[in-house]
Amino acid sequence: MADLYIIKLGGSAITEKEGNKFEAKKAVLERIASEIKRALDEKEFKLIIVHGAGPFGHTNVVEYDINNGVYSDRQKEGLAKTIKDCNLLDSIVVGTLKKVGLDAIPFDPNKIVEQDNKKIVKFETEEIKGEIAEGNIPVLFGQMVPDKSLNASVISGDTVIGFLAKKFGAKKVFLGTDVAGIYNADPKKNPNAKRIPLIDKSNFEEVIAQTDEAGTVDVTGGMKGKLEKLQEMLQGTTALIFDASKEESFYKVLTGKEVEGTEIRL
Ligand code: ADP
């Protein structure tokens, strides 16, 4: 079988996460979709796409206080709204991918994942496997899912990626966000921050100590949460974090061309 790549359309890249607005960046999404199509027309590979939720997830979770259990009527109302809003964003993403001719098939994590105290205990992957084998592109996203202890909890797009990379032995994971990788300080707050080109076992601890949670509303720990999840789950798969707001970035990474970023080999 051709190599499997998993790509992440970061919430920071595809939504107005910075302005905390419930809006998709439609023009960015259209450009990324065209770049993925162009790469697939030139090169053979299998693909899973995972996207973040941006404010559609994080802002609701904070507003309704549903990051540590869902019990009250107001929390239940918030849960229903969050699930609906994340699906709304997903329908925009899937619609955009389809418009350029990509065979995108949505999989709502709420229907196929179960957690216990925020950890995955069940993840149905048979249908995902079938779609990949047929040359289609499963699309998953950060979402609220049923939780045995908390009634419902968040699964981040990054956790979905880690799980699927391990499950399907992905060749490479490409994480598109709004900064060109991991720096020795948050590059949005510190203009002198330096990019770290490679993170491996030798510098992981040092890097994690320098990495902040996102400056935006992010209940899954931003860049720091991302790194910790990748370390836990990737096991052998290489990941590249890069700036998806740059023209051609997705086309280049998927076709093996050089792009500024941080490579992670843990
Ligand atoms: P996404 O939603 O695209 O998956 P996140 O918002 O979770 O991405 O993380 C990206 C954000 O993390 C960046 O916008 C950046 O401001 C912030 N960040 C914090 N610390 C760092 C760091 N050391 N290097 C890079 N980005 C960082």
Side-chain angles (χ1 to χ4, degrees):
M1 193 169 96
D3 288 340
L4 172 70
Y5 296 152
I6 302 184
I7 65 181
K8 165 96 183 281
L9 314 182
S12 297
I14 64 160
T15 69
E16 296 294 345
K17 190 169 172 178
E18 219 174 344
N20 200 13
K21 285 193 247 155
F22 283 64
E23 268 173 46
K25 290 183 181 162
K26 291 203 172 126
V28 173
L29 266 174
E30 279 166 20
R31 174 182 55 74
I32 293 175
S34 308
E35 290 182 16
I36 296 170
K37 176 77 170 85
R38 195 174 143 211
L40 269 167
D41 286 343
E42 281 178 26
K43 183 176 154 181
E44 202 196 345
F45 56 90
K46 304 273 188 190
L47 194 58
I48 297 175
I49 296 179
V50 178
H51 62 85
F56 295 79
H58 300 288
T59 302
N60 279 326
V61 170
V62 171
E63 161 127 21
Y64 288 90
D65 185 24
I66 51 176
N67 199 22
N68 294 296
V70 176
Y71 308 105
S72 69
D73 284 348
R74 183 172 150 74
Q75 286 176 321
K76 286 177 192 160
E77 181 197 324
L79 172 64
K81 180 174 186 306
T82 311
I83 293 169
K84 199 171 111 217
D85 285 350
C86 290
N87 265 300
L88 172 66
L89 175 63
D90 184 60
S91 65
I92 297 171
V93 173
V94 170
T96 310
L97 296 169
K98 284 188 163 167
K99 216 161 79 184
V100 300
L102 293 167
D103 297 314
I105 314 282
F107 283 91
D108 181 353
N110 182 262
K111 305 216 172 73
I112 56 173
V113 179
E114 191 180 10
Q115 303 202 116
D116 188 4
N117 222 349
K118 305 186 185 178
K119 295 263 179 265
I120 297 170
V121 288
K122 195 179 90 185
F123 201 137
E124 288 167 22
T125 53
E126 271 312 296
E127 274 189 49
I128 296 175
K129 192 173 156 193
E131 296 295 350
I132 298 169
E134 282 183 33
N136 296 328
I137 305 172
V139 179
L140 296 94
F141 49 101
Q143 175 63 299
M144 296 282 309
V145 299
D147 187 300
K148 282 180 191 236
S149 307
L150 304 169
N151 288 330
S153 58
V154 173
I155 185 166
S156 73
D158 299 317
T159 302
V160 171
I161 287 186
F163 183 89
L164 294 177
K166 195 165 150 193
K167 177 86 195 170
F168 293 126
K171 178 81 178 168
K172 200 149 179 183
V173 170
F174 297 107
L175 302 154
T177 181
D178 68 343
V179 290
I182 299 194
Y183 290 68
N184 62 356
D186 185 344
K188 290 224 187 111
K189 294 185 196 148
N190 186 340
N192 298 321
K194 285 205 166 46
R195 184 170 52 90
I196 303 161
L198 175 68
I199 298 175
D200 59 16
K201 287 195 173 67
S202 72
N203 63 350
F204 179 79
E205 293 301 332
E206 185 193 333
V207 172
I208 208 97
Q210 294 168 334
T211 311
D212 275 343
E213 301 191 350
T216 51
V217 181
D218 190 315
V219 294
T220 55
M223 205 50 110
K224 187 171 187 176
K226 206 180 297 305
L227 252 186
E228 286 167 341
K229 268 160 225 148
L230 292 174
Q231 187 216 19
E232 188 186 327
M233 319 276 277
L234 274 186
Q235 299 183 354
T237 304
T238 313
L240 178 73
I241 303 185
F242 64 98
D243 185 355
S245 63
K246 292 233 162 75
E247 297 265 334
E248 299 232 295
S249 53
F250 260 108
Y251 168 72
K252 285 186 183 158
V253 296
L254 288 170
T255 51
K257 295 178 178 68
E258 188 88 5
V259 163
E260 251 188 21
T262 295
E263 184 151 308
I264 303 180
R265 275 188 245 140
L266 291 166

